[in-house]
Amino acid sequence: MAIPVLDKPAQDATASHLITITLRVRRFLPEVSDEVTWEDFALEIDPKERVLDALHKVKWEMDGTLTFRRSCAHGICGSDAMRINGRNRLACKTLIKDINPEKPITVEPIKGLAVLKDLVVDMEPFFQAYRDVMPFLVTKGNEPTRERLQSAEDRERFDDTTKCILCAACTSSCPVFWNDGQYFGPAAIVNAHRFIFDSRDEAGEQRLEILNDKDGVWRCRTTFNCTDACPRGIEVTKAIAEVKKALITRRY
């Protein structure tokens, strides 16, 4: 089957949509040097494309050593969280036209986690905190013979915190986490909230005691960085406040 070739006017019309941007990327290549550097890449791109598309263009056409994480490219997997122009965002949800492409677009790894290479950080401390809060349904007794039913009102109680995609954008935007990586962090607390307030779960007290630790919810300083950073619009600070209230009142 013949592949259609655009005639010159059509090619010119396509090219007219492109703009030239400068992608300024924080580079760390441990196999080359221990030094961190910044590297500029000038490229032509449609302003309606995403930062992830620009990173792909650099890696595939300009410098194959550029390293970053991505998977679904549709804001679901959360793997491409990074700092873009100083703010935590998902590269796959950030359009070039929305971040002032007339100036260099800075891209760097999220903060508070050790950088392994370029934009890739060590996520193990983040996921360990997630595991520590028991992010799964805990019930007692024999396995039920039918589905555990729940009212719409009970489900609504924790609906917001079910949206977390574990991108770490909230946790790595938190000044307390930057200062001391021992803090559980917003994402872990959000995922604890999701089960503490689930009417079917029976381990609320246990999770509350875990979060009552010196590195738990009381480390939160309510700066709202986490809420601002969440790409799913979760009211993270509100969820943390509700966990604090549950610890004081033991009502949830």
Side-chain angles (χ1 to χ4, degrees), residues 174-186:
C174 175
V176 176
F177 186 79
W178 300 340
N179 184 59
D180 182 0
Q182 298 303 308
Y183 174 41
F184 274 91

Side-chain angles (χ1 to χ4, degrees), residues 13-29:
T14 300
S16 69
H17 290 89
L18 304 182
I19 61 172
T20 299
I21 66 167
T22 297
L23 201 64
R24 182 165 293 165
V25 184
R26 187 178 188 270
R27 304 298 307 271
F28 174 58
L29 301 169

Side-chain angles (χ1 to χ4, degrees), residues 93-121:
K93 292 188 69 177
T94 305
L95 301 183
I96 297 294
K97 68 181 181 66
D98 293 335
I99 50 173
N100 194 3
E102 295 179 1
K103 294 183 178 180
I105 298 170
T106 62
V107 183
E108 55 190 312
I110 52 179
K111 296 175 66 174
L113 295 164
V115 180
L116 301 179
K117 185 175 181 179
D118 288 342
L119 305 176
V120 174
V121 299

Side-chain angles (χ1 to χ4, degrees), residues 203-234:
E205 285 290 333
Q206 191 173 347
R207 290 191 192 87
L208 287 174
E209 283 309 312
I210 291 170
L211 293 176
N212 200 25
D213 183 84
K214 62 182 178 65
D215 295 318
V217 293
W218 305 115
R219 295 294 303 278
C220 172
R221 294 297 179 264
T222 321
T223 63
F224 285 88
N225 282 23
C226 50
T227 300
D228 291 341
C230 179
R232 299 302 298 271
I234 300 171

Side-chain angles (χ1 to χ4, degrees), residues 1 11 23 49 51 53 57 65-66 82 84 88 108 123 155 169 176 193 209-210 220 226 235-237 239:
M1 178 178 176
Q11 290 176 337
L23 201 64
E49 296 280 15
V51 170
D53 297 310
K57 191 174 181 67
T65 67
L66 180 62
M82 55 190 72
I84 301 172
N88 283 12
E108 55 190 312
M123 294 287 285
R155 176 61 173 76
V176 176
H193 177 288
E209 283 309 312
I210 291 170
C220 172
C226 50
E235 295 184 88
V236 181
T237 311

Side-chain angles (χ1 to χ4, degrees), residues 62-195:
M62 304 172 74
D63 186 346
T65 67
L66 180 62
T67 304
F68 53 92
R69 288 190 177 109
R70 89 286 185 272
S71 184
C72 76
H74 288 88
I76 300 300
C77 72
S79 60
D80 65 343
M82 55 190 72
R83 285 174 65 82
I84 301 172
N85 284 357
R87 289 182 54 192
N88 283 12
R89 314 173 196 243
L90 296 185
C92 63
K93 292 188 69 177
T94 305
L95 301 183
I96 297 294
K97 68 181 181 66
D98 293 335
I99 50 173
N100 194 3
E102 295 179 1
K103 294 183 178 180
I105 298 170
T106 62
V107 183
E108 55 190 312
I110 52 179
K111 296 175 66 174
L113 295 164
V115 180
L116 301 179
K117 185 175 181 179
D118 288 342
L119 305 176
V120 174
V121 299
D122 181 7
M123 294 287 285
E124 179 53 29
F126 171 80
F127 284 118
Q128 185 57 56
Y130 170 68
R131 291 189 290 266
D132 287 346
V133 299
M134 303 166 55
F136 44 81
L137 191 71
V138 178
T139 60
K140 299 175 183 176
N142 297 325
E143 182 178 343
T145 57
R146 65 188 182 99
E147 179 185 2
R148 290 185 173 90
L149 300 180
Q150 187 174 59
S151 70
E153 292 75 17
D154 284 344
R155 176 61 173 76
E156 179 65 25
R157 179 67 186 84
F158 61 93
D159 181 72
D160 194 40
T161 48
T162 65
K163 302 171 186 174
C164 178
I165 56 175
L166 296 174
C167 65
C170 65
T171 294
S172 60
S173 73
C174 175
V176 176
F177 186 79
W178 300 340
N179 184 59
D180 182 0
Q182 298 303 308
Y183 174 41
F184 274 91
I189 300 170
V190 157
N191 282 278
H193 177 288
R194 179 258 175 273
F195 289 99

